[in-house]
Structures are given as C-alpha cells and as structure tokens.
Amino acid sequence: MEVSVIGSSQAKIWKTDLAYRELGFSDLRDVGKVFSAKNRVCFGQSTRWRTARFRFALKAVQSEPLRSEKVSVATRRSESHDGVRLFVGLPLDVVSDCNAVNHTKAIAAGLKALKLLGVEGVELPVWWGIVEKEAMGKYEWSGYLAVAEMVQKVGLKLHVSLCFHASKQPKISLPKWVSRIGESQPGIFFTDRAGQHYKECLSLAVDDLPVLDGKTPIQAYHEFCESFKSSFSPFMGSTITGISMGLGPDGELRYPSHHRHAKSNKIPGVGEFQCYDKNMLSILKQHAEATGNPLWGLGGPHDAPAYDQWPNENNFFRNEGGSWESPYADFFLSWYSNQLISHGNRLLSLASSIFSETAATVYGKVPLMHSWYRTGSHPSELTAGYYNTSRRDGYEAVAEMFARNSCKMILPGMDLSAEHQPNESLSSPELLLADIRASCRKHGVDVSGQNSSASGAPGGLEQIKKNLLGENAVDWFIYQRMGAYFFSPEHFPSFTAFVRSLEQPELESDDLPEEEKEVADSLHASSESGAHMQAA
C-alpha cells in the first residue's frame, strides 16, 4: 500500500522500515504474515534450553541503543509522560501453552516498530492456565520472563494483565487441575437457568469456599500473585509500571451474561442472569430468608428473556409495565449487583495489598454494556451485574469500591459510537461512558481507556481521539492488539497517523530534530518526483 506522509511521521516510517529489514522482513506485511500462521511454538521441557535459545535470538535482533541526541520527538514526549501514554496489547497467545514465546522474530520487529513510533509500552496478557497449568502451586514463568526481558531491552514499558479466565480464540484453557475439579464439581462454574455451565472462569460464589483441593480461589489467586511479584521483581516499577487484576470473563468485572451471541450476529440480545449454580442459589436463599421474603430466594426472575431475545420479548425488561420496577426486582437486582461488587472488592484489595510496594499501579476493567442503553431498564447492564437504569445510578458503588482500594479503572469501548451501532439495539456507548466517568470523577478514580475490537470498529480511531483528547481526557490507553491485522496495509498507516496526532500538532520542517529533518527532506524530494514510500 502506498502512502504519502509528511514531516516526522515520514522519518518514523523510514526508521521503522529499517528495523524490519534488520530482522529479515521486507516490510510490515511480512511481519503480519508471521502472526497469521497457525503454528504455535512448543520447545522441549528443559527451561535452561528454552532460555538459552531465546537469549541467542535476542542477540541477533537487539539494536544499538539510540543516542540521546537522536531520540525522536515522539520518544522524548512519551518518556516525559506528557499527553496520552499509549500502550499496544501483545497477542493473547504471545506465550504458548507450553511456555515458549510464539513468533519471537515478529514480536521483536513489532516491539522495535512501536518504540520508533513513540509508543510508550505494551500490554502482556499472563494466563493462569499457562503459568499454573499442571498442578496447584507449580508455576512456570519462563515464557513470560523472556517477553519481559525482550520488552526491557527495546526500551518499552510493560503493563501486565493477570488473566484468571479462559479464552476461546485463541484457545487458552483454565489450569488442567482446575478443569479436573470442575468435571466432578460443576457448581464451581457460573450456571444459567437452563443449567448450562460457563467453564471459562470460576463463579464468584466460590471465592471463599475451599473448592480447589482444600484451598479457596482467593487463596489460589493470592499465591499466584505473590509468585508473580517475586519472579518479576527485577522488572517491577521500572519496566512493569501497571498490573491489571483479572476480575471475571475477559478479565472484566461482570457476569458471563452474554457468552451466547445473538444468532443474527448483529443485534445482541439482553443476555441472561447467571445465578443458578448451587452456591449462588444458596447465597440468594439465605439473603431472601434474612429479609423476610423466602419465596424470593428460589431463583432469578422467571419472566426475563433468553440470551438473544430483545427486551420486549418478555415481561421483565418491558419499557411499559415491566417487572424490573417491582419490589421483587429491586431485591434481586440489588443482591445480584452487590455480589459482583463484593467479588471485585476481594480481588482488588488482594492485588492492592500484594503490589503496594512495587511502584506498579493496580487496575481493574469494567465492561461497557452499551446495548439497550436507551431503554428504561438497561437490560444488558442488569444481566451483567450492574444495577444501572434510567432511574438509578449503578456505577456509584463500583467507583467507590475502586477508590477504596486505590485502583484505577480501565474502560473498553472507547472506539465505539452510537452512529455505528444498529439502530434497533438502542445503543449509546458515548452516554454510558459519560455515566461511568461521572461516577469515577465523584470518587476520585482515574479512568484509562481501551478499544473494543482488535479488527477495528468503523470510525474507531477518530472516536478514540475524541475520548482521549476531549474535556474528559484520559492519560493512558491500551490499543488492542498486535497481530496480522495490526500490521496490515489496511491498518498500520492509519495507526501511525493516529499515534502522531496524539503526540504533537503538525510540525513544520524547521521544528524537526536535525536527523529527522534530513530524512524528511530527502523523502519529500523523492515524493515530488513521483516516488512514494511503501508502508504496510
């Protein structure tokens, strides 16, 4: 793909192109092709052999550190932490299920490209099911340590996301020993009213129950985090500047209410309440009896729609006369939401306590359940665990819980706008974002952002800019995610322009550092004669 870029951006692309060539790639398309490959690296089980092989690769790809007088404007800006601090997510499977680094050469090229563009750092997903795969308390960090070393040598910062859930694509499971327990005790998983189990994370109802061979999930998460802190101590506070604590499905603080997608693949349904595993039902029963309404503790609302149904297809969420406004609904929705907030409090207080002395900031992610927001009941939020309606603020208590634990909040969906959502879904991502941000401001909680789609939402980059640079600006953003599409000709030139627009206004030639001015001048001259740079 041919693009014409002026000023410092052109110099950055020129330098970035040199980085790919040093690593044996002709351009970014070659990098993307490597990410597209389905093969996953799996070395032998010798940790020493794996580490030696990786260090050998690092020597081959490491570049000479940039001298201070030649650091780009973008790099100086990111290091001074002015403006938006931009991170890019690494592939979800950057470390394979046998603890080896996938696509090492392409990752190295991608890291160097991001450094040259002025991106501050990368986000690394660390999976419970990979690190503690075989047995409780048996941790294998070698693959993730190799990535951290790679990031450090390039000169980028690292944000780590601790993932206590599973992934369908790419396929990343819970630890084998947890799945084995779940086979005989399916009550450890969330369950819907049809009895279907969601096996990609544990039910919050078992947080403090000794269901994991005599230990509670909270104890297992605590020991995992302690092992992580000890193993990564050389990187803490220097390379590793932030840690996201996994709070539920996809790492978000929510119930898995939408894990079955709408059949149309266009208009999402309202989702379903996930309160039917035996432990959730036991807690609900006790709560109903304590409030003097034992019949309210038999289960969730009987008149709620199914996963892919719309609000008016049953009575509970109906705009006119829906039972979501009844005393029973207030009892149930308050209990359902409070269980989720208590779960978030347990995990964020755990993370804050463990990482308080590391100089790394602790984050948690809150979902943007924006479908049906322009209805009275906000059903997608209710089934996900947020008692937020047109008549009730459901995010005050969430923000207060984050503030109590001195944690920052990540909000995904900053690339979404109502104009690009189906009209029938009555969605409004912008208004929901504004609601959550207002609650966070009230309680002094800093908000950071993330986009919702690794494949790019329509108008997504422009929408992100509005959210980052407007009156409700955020200073830190994770862009998802490095891979084949990220480096494709359809995406990477736009991303390069996006990064530059966040860093600085358009620079005149006289404002450029001398090295970039020379590069830009030569490239501008060649473009006038009809030559264009190839950028992928």
Side-chain angles (χ1 to χ4, degrees), residues 2 4 22 89-90 92 136 157 175 190 196 232 256 266 344 377 411 418 423 425-426 445 472 476 484 519 534:
E2 295 187 347
S4 294
E22 287 177 16
L90 292 172
L92 292 173
M136 181 189 295
K157 299 298 184 183
F190 286 109
Q196 298 179 81
F232 286 80
K266 291 183 179 179
S377 61
L411 291 177
N423 289 332
S425 70
L426 299 176
V445 176
N472 295 316
W476 185 74
V519 175
Q534 283 286 344

Side-chain angles (χ1 to χ4, degrees), residues 78 171 232 266 337 366 425 434 437:
S78 69
K171 178 64 175 176
F232 286 80
K266 291 183 179 179
S337 177
V366 168
S425 70
R437 281 173 152 177

Side-chain angles (χ1 to χ4, degrees), residues 321-385:
S323 55
W324 61 275
E325 296 185 278
S326 67
Y328 160 74
D330 183 62
F331 158 83
F332 173 80
L333 294 171
S334 296
W335 169 82
Y336 190 68
S337 177
N338 288 337
Q339 291 299 307
L340 182 69
I341 295 170
S342 296
H343 168 73
N345 183 62
R346 287 189 287 271
L347 291 179
L348 290 181
S349 62
L350 179 157
S352 294
S353 173
I354 292 174
F355 299 115
S356 60
E357 298 179 0
T358 65
T361 303
V362 176
Y363 295 76
K365 191 192 299 185
V366 168
L368 195 72
M369 309 303 294
H370 57 86
S371 295
W372 311 111
Y373 180 85
R374 288 185 284 130
T375 66
S377 61
H378 297 196
S380 289
E381 293 168 81
L382 297 185
T383 57

Side-chain angles (χ1 to χ4, degrees), residues 248-259:
D250 297 326
E252 299 175 340
L253 181 62
R254 64 177 174 87
Y255 292 95
S257 53
H258 287 74
H259 67 91

Side-chain angles (χ1 to χ4, degrees), residues 441-456:
R441 279 196 303 272
K442 183 175 180 179
H443 292 277
V445 176
D446 290 335
V447 171
S448 299
Q450 181 179 306
N451 55 320
S452 64
S453 173
S455 59

Side-chain angles (χ1 to χ4, degrees), residues 477-488:
F477 188 85
I478 301 177
Y479 189 89
Q480 302 291 16
R481 175 175 301 278
M482 186 189 290
Y485 174 76
F486 182 85
F487 288 118
S488 70

